[in-house]
Amino acid sequence: MSHFILQTQLTPHTLLEAFPQLKAQNPGFVRAWLSPNGREILLEVELDLGDELRTEYLSLQRQSSGDLIFHLLSGGEEIPFKALSDTLQRLLNWLLSLEPHAHVVRHTFGQYVTLPATSLHGS
Amino acid sequence: MCGIPLVNMLLYPRHLFTDPEFLQKGWPAWFQNERPLNLEIGCGYGHFLSYMARRFPEQNFIGLDIVNKILRQLGRALERDGLNNARVCKLDANLALRELFPDGSLANLYILFPDPWFKERRLKRRIMRAETLPEMLRVLAPGGHLHFVSDDADYAQDARLLLDSCPQLKPVPFPEIEVRTKYERKWLQQEKQITRLSYQLELPQKPSETWPGYAVTPVIPLHDWRAEQAEAFWKQFQPLKEISEGWIIRVLACYYAADEGRLLLRCLLAEEGALALHFWLEVSAQGQLELARGSCLPRLRHRQILLEKTARLIESALT
């Protein structure tokens, strides 16, 4: 499962409040959904795969440790990382713009996302 | 023209189960013609499929498999070789047979070196067994052929007994096919005995089912729904489960978009003899249940029933 873990004070509620800003700047982000316990926000995105537009759901879940873990909730069909990279980069940039001191402590995106040098503590 | 370019030879369930043209016309929508249709279950690297598509350009060929890596490789090879009369699909065979092929739609059905599932408790996973044969017979055209090849003596014997005992099938000589698949070459090197069986559908089938025009995506109203129930349902959400004959629907998670008053449900369908799959449903503020945008529930004949069952499941949680 592709994921990254962000050490941050951001919560799904704060992300929900800030979502209109992300949507305004990046029309590919369509809607935001909140889980009943408020610990998970689901971002509905429209991916441009070249010959088609595809809807996927990106989950950001607050862990008991305080970290925010991101993963893609795919319907089981493989998505090429290259097609995701732009969306992931925008998402990460948005998160870091909300909290510049947030740290990516782990990720599995390899070369597809550019992380600020100060952000990445390990992968 | 379907939703993806004709040159794209690899089809995923979303291409088939959500494409309006396919849903209206069936397979001719992909091939842009009504030529005889042939299906290979478990096409693997596609040596056989490519060979047949090249040898019989006046026919269409579909290969099914579930392994992404080899399907991508095969899709690229078909595209590179310009074999426009072939497509490969990432689909479970039982699901595809049941949902995607009308009665009498196949000229040939090929099952070459299927997994024999040696262990007793896994025999029910075999593709060729008494429970799956009726669907194979249903999709074969009158006079159509069913071909089965195996290197496993027990599986071959079981298949022979099953097919010989079927009154609608008549054994015929296995067709002359020069190509050897990867596994076939391997088994031949190991001097394994290979059993090749061919049968012809002898009794006339009932007239072909008209392609039922599955283009309607059902929207199921939830009874006695009030807008404020969405938030209450979401806040009190507990996973739901519905067990029916042969399948289980689970509503695993619930999300809410407060600004629109809409619910998003993450669901799982587990069905006997098919791979479990996730899909998404939405409930509008007006209480209309439907597939979420872009979500694919790869069921056609049973889509309406599944959504109705899920609607009743949600209603039962509301009371």
Side-chain angles (χ1 to χ4, degrees):
Chain A
M1 178 73 77
S2 48
H3 70 276
F4 65 70
I5 299 173
L6 201 65
Q7 211 168 59
T8 174
Q9 298 300 312
L10 295 169
T11 67
H13 280 286
T14 54
L15 296 177
L16 187 67
E17 283 170 19
F19 181 74
Q21 172 205 354
L22 174 67
K23 185 179 172 179
Q25 292 168 1
N26 306 283
F29 288 84
V30 181
R31 276 187 285 192
W33 308 79
L34 200 62
S35 70
N37 60 12
R39 292 173 68 163
E40 184 183 7
I41 183 171
L42 214 58
L43 305 180
E44 182 180 327
V45 294
E46 205 163 60
L47 297 175
D48 187 352
L49 300 186
D51 49 13
E52 62 171 321
L53 291 173
R54 183 142 142 217
T55 301
E56 294 291 344
Y57 296 94
L58 312 179
S59 161
L60 285 156
Q61 202 167 9
R62 186 91 182 156
Q63 302 293 288
S64 50
S65 61
D67 294 337
L68 202 59
I69 184 165
F70 161 86
H71 58 264
L72 174 71
L73 289 180
S74 181
E77 212 172 284
E78 202 170 316
I79 301 176
F81 262 126
K82 277 182 188 168
L84 256 183
S85 64
D86 191 42
T87 302
L88 289 176
Q89 188 70 62
R90 287 164 192 265
L91 175 65
L92 196 59
N93 291 349
W94 176 60
L95 294 169
L96 293 172
S97 74
L98 295 173
E99 191 188 313
H101 299 298
H103 295 299
V104 176
V105 291
R106 187 174 177 80
H107 74 93
T108 58
F109 295 123
Q111 70 271 38
Y112 298 111
V113 176
T114 308
L115 298 163
T118 53
S119 172
L120 183 60
H121 282 189
S123 64
Chain B
M1 184 72 163
C2 284
I4 59 169
L6 191 64
V7 289
N8 193 333
M9 306 298 187
L10 170 56
L11 306 175
Y12 286 103
R14 71 194 142 88
H15 295 134
L16 301 166
F17 289 92
T18 61
D19 186 280
E21 196 175 339
F22 174 76
L23 295 176
Q24 282 173 358
K25 297 180 185 171
W27 293 101
W30 285 109
F31 293 108
Q32 304 290 305
N33 60 55
E34 304 259 358
R35 292 172 186 161
L37 196 60
N38 302 279
L39 175 67
E40 184 187 4
I41 291 176
C43 61
Y45 291 90
H47 295 111
F48 178 77
L49 192 80
S50 308
Y51 165 84
M52 294 298 278
R54 198 172 286 114
R55 181 172 159 186
F56 299 103
E58 73 289 357
Q59 298 184 31
N60 295 326
F61 293 86
I62 300 165
L64 301 179
D65 215 303
I66 55 171
V67 184
N68 266 320
K69 189 180 167 188
I70 56 176
L71 282 172
R72 275 203 308 271
Q73 199 174 314
L74 174 54
R76 279 196 295 268
L78 293 175
E79 193 172 329
R80 186 189 59 227
D81 297 343
L83 293 172
N84 281 324
N85 61 332
R87 294 288 185 280
V88 285
C89 310
K90 190 192 175 189
L91 274 175
D92 175 84
N94 288 315
L95 165 67
L97 282 176
R98 199 179 57 234
E99 300 280 348
L100 288 180
F101 291 93
D103 290 3
S105 56
L106 292 181
N108 288 281
L109 173 57
Y110 298 94
I111 305 173
L112 311 181
F113 300 100
D115 193 328
W117 296 106
F118 298 110
K119 293 182 181 173
E120 186 71 27
R121 64 190 167 88
R122 292 191 171 164
L123 290 180
K124 64 180 180 185
R125 296 189 187 180
R126 283 179 171 178
I127 185 66
M128 179 58 79
R129 58 184 203 279
E131 291 79 6
T132 57
L133 185 58
E135 279 299 293
M136 296 179 188
L137 298 180
R138 181 185 68 78
V139 298
L140 273 182
H145 290 83
L146 172 60
H147 311 277
F148 178 90
V149 179
S150 180
D151 60 290
D152 183 86
D154 289 339
Y155 194 4
Q157 174 69 2
D158 289 349
R160 189 194 297 272
L161 286 172
L162 175 67
L163 298 171
D164 279 349
S165 67
C166 177
Q168 291 155 285
L169 292 174
K170 173 182 76 173
V172 292
F174 195 82
E176 279 187 29
I177 297 168
E178 297 86 1
V179 70
R180 296 285 172 258
T181 68
K182 179 186 168 188
Y183 286 110
E184 190 169 6
R185 287 197 302 268
K186 186 175 166 184
W187 306 143
L188 286 170
Q189 276 173 3
Q190 293 178 11
E191 297 184 347
K192 280 193 174 187
Q193 187 177 344
I194 291 174
T195 305
R196 300 170 207 276
L197 305 173
S198 278
Y199 292 82
Q200 186 172 26
L201 187 66
E202 198 174 35
L203 296 177
Q205 285 279 78
K206 60 183 180 183
S208 272
E209 178 185 275
T210 308
W211 183 254
Y214 293 123
V216 178
T217 298
V219 178
I220 313 290
L222 295 171
H223 295 144
D224 302 325
W225 178 262
R226 298 185 308 280
E228 61 271 21
Q229 282 176 309
E231 191 170 356
F233 179 82
W234 168 68
K235 280 183 176 166
Q236 295 161 20
F237 177 77
Q238 296 290 326
L240 304 169
K241 184 161 81 171
E242 163 83 13
I243 302 175
S244 278
E245 282 175 31
W247 44 265
I248 300 172
I249 295 175
R250 300 170 89 102
V251 182
L252 300 170
C254 174
Y255 302 88
Y256 185 51
D259 53 343
E260 296 181 37
R262 294 178 78 89
L263 291 169
L264 179 68
L265 305 170
R266 187 168 201 230
C267 306
L268 182 82
L269 175 65
E271 195 168 2
E272 202 171 298
L275 299 174
L277 66 111
H278 282 101
F279 61 100
W280 298 89
L281 296 175
E282 273 191 40
V283 179
S284 70
Q286 293 74 37
Q288 306 276 352
L289 177 78
E290 59 187 315
L291 272 176
R293 198 159 56 100
S295 183
C296 174
L297 177 59
R299 299 291 185 277
L300 295 176
R301 301 166 130 205
H302 302 103
R303 187 181 282 188
Q304 177 92 17
I305 297 168
L306 288 170
L307 262 70
E308 279 174 0
K309 290 270 183 194
T310 312
R312 304 295 88 86
L313 190 59
I314 293 167
E315 285 165 0
S316 68
L318 286 168
T319 52

